[in-house]
Amino acid sequence: MKAVIFDFDGLIMDTETHQYEVLQEIFYEHNSDLPLSVWQKEIGTSTDFCPFQYLESQTKKKLDKVKLQKALDMRFQQRLAKEAARPGVKNYLNEAKSLGLHIGLASSSNYQWVSTHLENLGLFPFFKCIKTSDDVENVKPDPSLYLEAAKCLQVDPKECIVFEDSANGALAAKKAGMPCVIIPNKVTNELEFCKVERRLLTMEECTLNQLIEDIKTKK
C-alpha cells in the first residue's frame, strides 16, 4: 500500500449527522418529519432532492424556501463551529505520514467547503491531493473522484486504501478497484453497503498499520 484516501463529510468530520438533525428541527417546527430513509439517498453523493420542496409536499403549504435555507445554513454552521474531527482521524493521518504513505482526499462536496473545514480542524497540511466535485463531471458513486485522486498521488488504484462512511462512497471506491474500510456515522450506520475490506466503529479501534496488515493478509 502506497496511499490512503479519505472521504470528508461524515468521515473526517460528522457534518452529515448535524445537517440531518438541523433539518429535523425545522421539519418538527412545521409539524412534519424528514424520514432518515429519505435523507440517506442524498448522503455521499449529489442529487436534485430539495428537503424544503419535500416539506411543502408533506405539509401541503406554500413555504418560504429561501428563508428556510437561511435558517438551515445558520444553524448548521453554528453546530459545525463546535465540531471536532471524528475519533482517531488525526492519529491515522499522523500514522500515515510516519509510514511514508501519500495522503489524499476525495469528496462529493466542493473544494471551498472541504478546504475551509480542513483548515478549521488544522488538518489541511496533511493532504497531498484533494479532489472534489469541482474536479469531475460525476460524483460518487461514480469512481471518478477516487481515480482522479490516485492519479494525482501517482499511485495505482490497487495501492490505495479508501476510508468511507457512506454506501455511495464505498461503492465508488470499489468501482475504482480500491480496498475500502467503512466507518459509518449515526445517519449512515444502517445503510446497506457493498462488500468492503473492514468495518470499524471508529479509527481508534485499531492502528492504521494493523489495518493495512490485516487487509494484506486477507488478500
Side-chain angles (χ1 to χ4, degrees):
M1 293 299 169
K2 295 182 180 178
V4 287
I5 305 177
F6 292 78
D7 173 47
F8 178 71
D9 289 290
L11 187 280
I12 287 178
M13 184 182 191
D14 194 4
T15 58
E16 291 166 348
T17 297
H18 286 299
Q19 188 174 22
Y20 177 66
E21 288 177 348
V22 172
L23 279 168
Q24 274 291 47
E25 288 176 5
I26 294 172
F27 270 66
Y28 288 157
E29 288 164 8
H30 290 80
N31 300 309
S32 187
D33 175 64
L34 176 61
L36 182 56
S37 59
V38 172
W39 182 245
Q40 283 172 331
K41 296 174 184 177
E42 174 74 10
I43 297 173
T45 186
S46 179
T47 71
D48 58 2
F49 176 73
C50 175
F52 300 127
Q53 284 182 351
Y54 181 81
L55 180 57
E56 275 191 339
S57 71
Q58 296 301 103
T59 60
K60 305 292 192 294
K61 295 178 182 177
K62 184 67 177 175
L63 301 171
D64 186 340
K65 291 190 282 294
V66 173
K67 184 178 179 180
L68 289 173
Q69 186 63 49
K70 285 181 178 178
L72 170 62
D73 292 343
M74 181 186 71
R75 297 186 198 182
F76 188 29
Q77 291 296 344
Q78 286 174 344
R79 281 179 172 237
L80 292 186
K82 304 172 186 176
E83 187 70 6
R86 287 186 67 190
V89 168
K90 192 164 186 179
N91 288 341
Y92 266 34
L93 289 170
N94 277 317
E95 192 176 353
K97 187 176 179 181
S98 69
L99 290 171
L101 299 172
H102 298 300
I103 304 173
L105 186 145
S107 171
S108 293
S109 296
N110 63 55
Y111 182 82
Q112 182 177 2
W113 171 265
V114 172
S115 60
T116 297
H117 288 295
L118 286 177
E119 290 280 13
N120 292 340
L121 293 169
L123 302 179
F124 186 85
F126 281 102
F127 295 92
K128 181 179 179 180
C129 173
I130 296 174
K131 292 295 179 180
T132 68
S133 59
D134 300 324
D135 299 301
V136 294
E137 287 187 19
N138 298 304
V139 295
K140 305 168 189 176
D142 188 279
S144 298
L145 276 165
Y146 282 116
L147 292 172
E148 285 297 312
K151 184 179 178 182
C152 176
L153 294 171
Q154 297 182 314
V155 294
D156 188 282
K158 293 184 179 66
E159 298 172 327
C160 305
I161 294 180
V162 167
F163 292 94
E164 268 288 352
D165 71 290
S166 75
N168 282 316
L171 185 56
K174 297 308 293 183
K175 284 181 177 178
M178 300 178 178
C180 181
V181 176
I182 58 169
I183 309 164
N185 57 56
K186 188 176 177 181
V187 297
T188 62
N189 193 50
E190 301 303 321
L191 289 175
E192 186 174 340
F193 287 84
C194 61
K195 187 176 180 181
V196 295
E197 276 62 32
R198 280 287 300 273
R199 180 180 182 128
L200 304 176
L201 292 174
T202 74
M203 294 183 197
E204 293 179 325
E205 195 171 317
C206 66
T207 69
L208 177 59
N209 193 50
Q210 288 171 339
L211 193 61
I212 292 171
E213 290 303 316
D214 181 49
I215 290 172
K216 283 164 64 177
T217 301
K218 286 183 178 179
K219 283 184 175 297

